[in-house]
Amino acid sequence: MKNIDLKEKCILSLILVIVMGFVLFYTYEDEPSNQYSGIIRLHVIANSDSADDQNLKLKVRDQIIKEVGSLEKSQDIEQSRSYLENHLKDMEKTAAKVIEENGKEYGAEADLGVRWIPAKTYGDMYFPAGNYEALNLTLGEGKGQNWWCVLFPPLCLIEEDQEAMDELGYTEDQQIEIKSKLMEIINGPGKDV
């Protein structure tokens, strides 16, 4: 009698393991899902936390923001994503040039994808932790702190360079509207901004 109970338990356990295997297989995601669609972030990740590498990160950031400045006139996220995907190598070359001009010998790698990012505050806006679409520009070993902003909706220049925003013809009301739209995306529809 004991052998039958043990045999039934083993078979039941095996069936349960197989079922769980199928469940895990069919629910596994190769890439995390984007929890905050409508936002593309930019992260410039320094080679290290040394003062030289952190300063170089900011120089690379300045050149990359100039390069992606045309995103300011982007009408939607698909247009922005397409531009970024088509210019990843150009951004790597731009970063490599700045790195070389500053006497360093490491390279840079640009990658656009969905990744988990911890909670951050950008100006007066709070971004909860989660999976975001982001352009990562990794300098050298990428072991240093990063600088970040929001490429779409275009907030990098709003916070960093008021003069550039004025040159692009954005009025203060339009800048507030862009920020409000971002808060609507982050908070979800129907929530107060």
Side-chain angles (χ1 to χ4, degrees):
M1 188 81 146
K2 285 186 174 185
N3 283 344
I4 294 174
D5 289 340
L6 183 60
K7 192 174 185 179
E8 286 177 357
K9 287 179 182 178
C10 286
I11 291 172
L12 185 59
S13 295
L14 181 60
I15 292 170
L16 187 58
V17 167
I18 292 170
V19 168
M20 290 304 296
F22 278 113
V23 169
L24 288 173
F25 178 77
Y26 285 106
T27 58
Y28 176 78
E29 296 179 34
D30 285 336
E31 199 169 304
S33 63
N34 187 356
Q35 293 173 277
Y36 301 98
S37 60
I39 297 173
I40 300 176
R41 294 170 60 154
L42 167 65
H43 292 253
V44 181
I45 305 163
N47 179 59
S48 75
D49 282 333
S50 75
D52 283 348
D53 283 342
Q54 288 296 312
N55 287 329
L56 184 51
K57 168 189 73 179
L58 299 177
K59 291 177 182 179
V60 169
R61 169 206 65 189
D62 293 344
Q63 286 304 117
I64 294 300
I65 288 178
K66 285 180 186 175
E67 191 169 305
V68 298
S70 61
L71 287 179
E72 295 296 325
K73 297 182 181 179
S74 181
Q75 297 298 310
D76 57 43
I77 195 162
E78 287 82 18
Q79 187 178 11
S80 296
R81 184 180 299 115
S82 177
Y83 174 88
L84 293 171
E85 289 172 341
N86 291 324
H87 290 86
L88 290 174
K89 292 294 180 199
D90 296 333
M91 287 181 257
E92 289 175 352
K93 289 177 186 174
T94 298
K97 182 179 178 193
V98 173
I99 291 167
E100 184 180 321
E101 288 171 352
N102 284 272
K104 300 288 183 178
E105 295 184 12
Y106 50 79
E109 183 179 337
D111 175 50
L112 181 66
V114 176
R115 54 195 45 90
W116 188 88
I117 300 173
K120 303 265 185 172
T121 301
Y122 184 67
D124 59 352
M125 291 175 278
Y126 173 75
F127 291 81
N131 293 323
Y132 289 85
E133 184 170 13
L135 169 64
N136 274 8
L137 185 60
T138 305
L139 310 182
E141 294 183 22
K143 293 185 177 178
Q145 293 184 32
N146 75 82
W147 175 91
W148 73 281
C149 72
V150 178
L151 285 175
F152 190 88
L155 298 180
C156 289
L157 290 177
I158 291 173
E159 295 295 326
E160 293 300 319
D161 191 349
Q162 185 60 45
E163 185 178 314
M165 289 303 293
D166 293 340
E167 285 177 23
L168 289 168
Y170 284 105
T171 66
E172 188 173 324
D173 289 341
Q174 289 170 316
Q175 293 172 36
I176 291 169
E177 184 178 318
I178 291 170
K179 287 183 180 184
S180 296
K181 180 63 177 169
L182 178 64
M183 290 308 294
E184 180 183 311
I185 291 168
I186 291 171
N187 291 328
K191 295 184 181 174
D192 291 335
V193 178

